[in-house]
Amino acid sequence: AEAQIGGYYAYALYDACWYQNDLNPPHDRPGPLSARRYWGPPRKSTGRTARGHQSRPLDGPGPVGGALNDYPCGGAQAMFQWVQHPDVKRALHVQPDAYFFSGDNGVGFVYNLTEANLLPFYQEVVRDTKLRVLVYNGDTDPDLNTFVAQNWTRSLGFRETQPWRPWTLDGHQYMGGYVTRYAGDFDFLTIRGAGHMVPEYKPRVTFEFLSKWLAGEDWLGYKP
């Protein structure tokens, strides 16, 4: 199946930085990629040359900031280099010879479930408390995808107060994603184009939906 599917990042399907973000330590790669800067803002074009021709971007065919989403490439390598630095190890109070590795998938760890099903917990929160609940999901996250999250929230059995609808940042056409609202201050919201780490992929959209939710305001609708 892998030969038919090809490469992709399991936490962000359309992420153009997937080859750098596969949760493995970085490796040297030949060609333009090895010359990339590890981190920093997207580099801009130099503008026009003395002859008036449009110049190419400074980073050539693989610029920092080349991700499909709103963040620069290179964070994975930067993190591994950062945690291996002696000053960082000293600040974190770990041994100088400590070696950092990614335990994202828990390889080698034992994880025992104490709550196999959290549906009753959320039903109790909505029924018996005044807490507000927001479940949100980036819609390009293949691993924990929005279809599973949507089916899970719907299975809680709460009454819909707003059926599935678009939400926007400007009340017009700047799409943020989709939202379904339920009785008991329970909301399910998706973020268009965001992978698993939603604030990393869509910082402006994240700020908008969280600001609205914290203020107790409804998200703006779509108007063609």
Side-chain angles (χ1 to χ4, degrees):
E2 184 177 353
Q4 285 77 33
I5 296 173
Y8 69 94
Y9 183 35
Y11 287 149
L13 183 59
Y14 301 111
D15 186 352
C17 290
W18 71 267
Y19 53 87
Q20 296 183 343
N21 294 343
D22 59 0
L23 301 179
N24 292 315
H27 302 284
D28 291 333
R29 295 178 175 84
L33 294 180
S34 62
R36 280 183 176 223
R37 292 169 54 199
Y38 280 116
W39 191 249
R43 299 187 69 184
K44 298 180 180 180
S45 167
T46 55
R48 294 190 175 274
T49 65
R51 295 179 179 272
H53 299 296
Q54 184 70 38
S55 63
R56 63 177 177 81
L58 290 174
D59 282 325
V64 172
L68 179 68
N69 294 287
D70 300 343
Y71 76 104
C73 297
Q77 283 88 339
M79 178 182 69
F80 279 100
Q81 287 203 344
W82 180 77
V83 295
Q84 300 294 357
H85 195 282
D87 292 344
V88 174
K89 290 182 178 180
R90 188 161 45 250
L92 294 175
H93 303 285
V94 299
Q95 295 299 318
D97 60 349
Y99 177 75
F100 174 80
F101 68 97
S102 172
D104 177 78
N105 294 315
V107 177
F109 292 90
V110 176
Y111 182 76
N112 297 315
L113 289 174
T114 58
E115 297 292 335
N117 184 3
L118 286 176
L119 289 174
F121 169 76
Y122 281 92
Q123 290 167 335
E124 180 182 348
V125 166
V126 172
R127 182 183 64 245
D128 299 334
T129 76
K130 295 183 179 180
L131 295 175
R132 299 163 54 232
V133 178
L134 171 64
V135 177
Y136 66 88
N137 221 134
D139 68 6
T140 67
D141 178 1
D143 197 55
L144 301 174
N145 64 76
T146 54
F147 301 108
V148 172
Q150 180 183 9
N151 291 338
W152 186 87
T153 54
R154 183 175 293 163
S155 70
L156 289 165
F158 304 143
R159 178 178 56 84
E160 285 188 4
T161 58
Q162 287 186 23
W164 173 272
R165 67 166 178 85
W167 71 272
T168 66
L169 279 71
D170 61 357
H172 189 50
Q173 293 182 327
Y174 190 154
M175 284 289 296
Y178 298 88
V179 62
T180 305
R181 310 202 72 175
Y182 296 90
D185 284 326
F186 187 95
D187 300 314
F188 172 65
L189 179 140
T190 71
I191 299 87
R192 175 179 283 187
H196 188 71
M197 291 70 72
V198 172
E200 177 183 9
Y201 293 103
K202 294 292 179 183
R204 180 179 178 185
V205 178
T206 300
F207 181 79
E208 176 70 16
F209 83 75
L210 279 179
S211 297
K212 290 284 189 184
W213 186 74
L214 291 172
E217 300 175 4
D218 199 359
W219 294 280
L220 300 176
Y222 176 82
K223 295 180 181 179

